[in-house]
Every structure is written in C-alpha cells, then in structure tokens.
Amino acid sequence: MRHSFYCFALFSLLGAAALLGQDKTPPAKLVLKAKTGNVTYDHAAHAKREKNACPVCHPKLFTQDAKAPVAFKPPHKKHEDAKASCGSCHRAGGTAFETKGNCTNSKCHVKATERKG
Ligand code: HEC
Ligand code: HEC
C-alpha cells in the first residue's frame, strides 16, 4: 500500500513537471564556445545548488535548449548590471562571483590544454 502511494506521488510530480514544461532531461554539463576559451557550464551543479528548482532559470532566464544563445556576450558587465542571463546571479552583490577578475582563473574561460579533468 505504502509503496503504491509513493508511486502515485512520484507520477503526480512527474505529471506536474510535464505540465509546467519541465519534463525534459537536464544535461549534466554544457560547453559554451568562446574564442577566449570555452566555458563549461555545470548544469547539474547549478541545478543542485538551486535545490533543483528549474523555474529559477527556466524559462525566464534561459530556454531549455542548449542551441539557443545564453545572451551573455561581452561586455558581460552590461548583462550583470541588467541582472540578466548568467548575470542575474553572477554580478557584484549577486549570489555568485562576478565576471570581473575571473575571466581565465579556471572558473570560466579555460583553454582546452589547461583543463585537467
Ligand atoms: C541556474 C540556472 C538553471 C537551473 C536552475 C536549471 N537550468 Fe536547465 N539550463 C540552464 C542553462 C543556462 C541552459 C542552456 C540554455 C542555452 O544554451 O540557451 C539550460 C538548458 C537546459 C536544457 C536543454 C538541454 C539541451 O541539450 O538542449 C534542459 C532540458 C534543461 N536545461 C532542463 C532543466 C531542468 C529539468 C531543470 C530543473 C531540474 C533545470 N534545467 C534547471 C540553466 C539552468
Ligand atoms: C541562479 C543563479 C545562477 C545563475 C543564473 C548562473 N549561475 Fe553560475 N554559479 C552560481 C553559483 C551559486 C555558483 C557557485 C558559487 C560561486 O562560486 O560563487 C556558480 C558557479 C559557476 C561556475 C564555477 C563552476 C561551478 O559550477 O561551480 C561557473 C563556470 C558558472 N557558475 C558559470 C555560469 C554561466 C556561464 C551561467 C550562465 C549560462 C551561470 N553560471 C548562471 C549561480 C548561478
């Protein structure tokens, strides 16, 4: 009985997620191409830090489509000031480090040869 209740609860959750359009399987990592060194966006880590609350980012900040641009092209400061895209968190006074001073220190733009695992 208990087991079937949990099954029902799980399927209800999945159903609700599907209704909200959050039914797509999230990617583990995304590589955002950039001339200054590609940025590896750890989707799993980002989602986990937000306690898997997809609506923190979808659909307001990003579409659920890795082919769509993330709209965070330089100058990054412009997006940070507007609290848009990655800059809604990554900005001075935000919940994550700002881009300034963090370009290549292995946080964001990493040349393929520098990345070790
Ligand atoms: C901290 C922000 C953030 C959170 C939270 C988040 N995502 Fe994403 N997600 C992104 C970004 C950024 C992209 C890439 C969008 C782009 O390339 O335009 C993305 C892309 C996706 C994609 C497209 C993958 C592909 O290959 O096209 C799916 C599916 C997705 N997310 C599902 C989810 C689900 C499900 C959750 C909740 C468990 C979630 N996301 C939570 C930021 C987030
Ligand atoms: C909902 C808030 C939020 C959004 C939106 C967000 N990040 Fe983050 N990000 C964080 C937090 C929190 C951390 C970890 C805390 C820190 O290191 O300052 C982090 C860490 C990172 C890291 C270091 C590696 C890691 O995952 O721990 C990179 C690189 C990164 N983010 C890139 C991006 C990019 C690129 C975007 C836009 C596509 C983005 N983030 C959007 C909150 C966010």
Side-chain angles (χ1 to χ4, degrees), residues 10-56:
L10 177 64
F11 281 111
S12 303
L13 274 175
L14 288 174
L19 277 176
L20 290 166
Q22 311 287 2
D23 55 334
K24 290 193 225 157
T25 312
K29 284 182 183 172
L30 292 172
V31 177
L32 309 172
K33 304 249 186 250
K35 285 194 200 100
T36 46
N38 293 343
V39 177
T40 299
Y41 177 78
D42 193 329
H43 190 285
H46 275 83
K48 199 175 165 209
R49 280 188 291 250
E50 302 307 321
K51 301 186 170 52
N52 282 323
C54 319
V56 170

Side-chain angles (χ1 to χ4, degrees), residues 32 39-42 45-46 49-50 56-57 61-62 70 85-86 88-90 95-97 107-108:
L32 309 172
V39 177
T40 299
Y41 177 78
D42 193 329
H46 275 83
R49 280 188 291 250
E50 302 307 321
V56 170
C57 293
L61 296 176
F62 310 101
V70 293
S85 186
C86 314
S88 78
C89 299
H90 290 274
T95 54
F97 61 88
K107 271 189 175 151
C108 294

Side-chain angles (χ1 to χ4, degrees), residues 90 96-110:
H90 290 274
F97 61 88
E98 60 183 324
T99 57
K100 192 179 167 195
N102 287 308
C103 321
T104 55
N105 61 1
S106 80
K107 271 189 175 151
C108 294
H109 297 284
V110 181

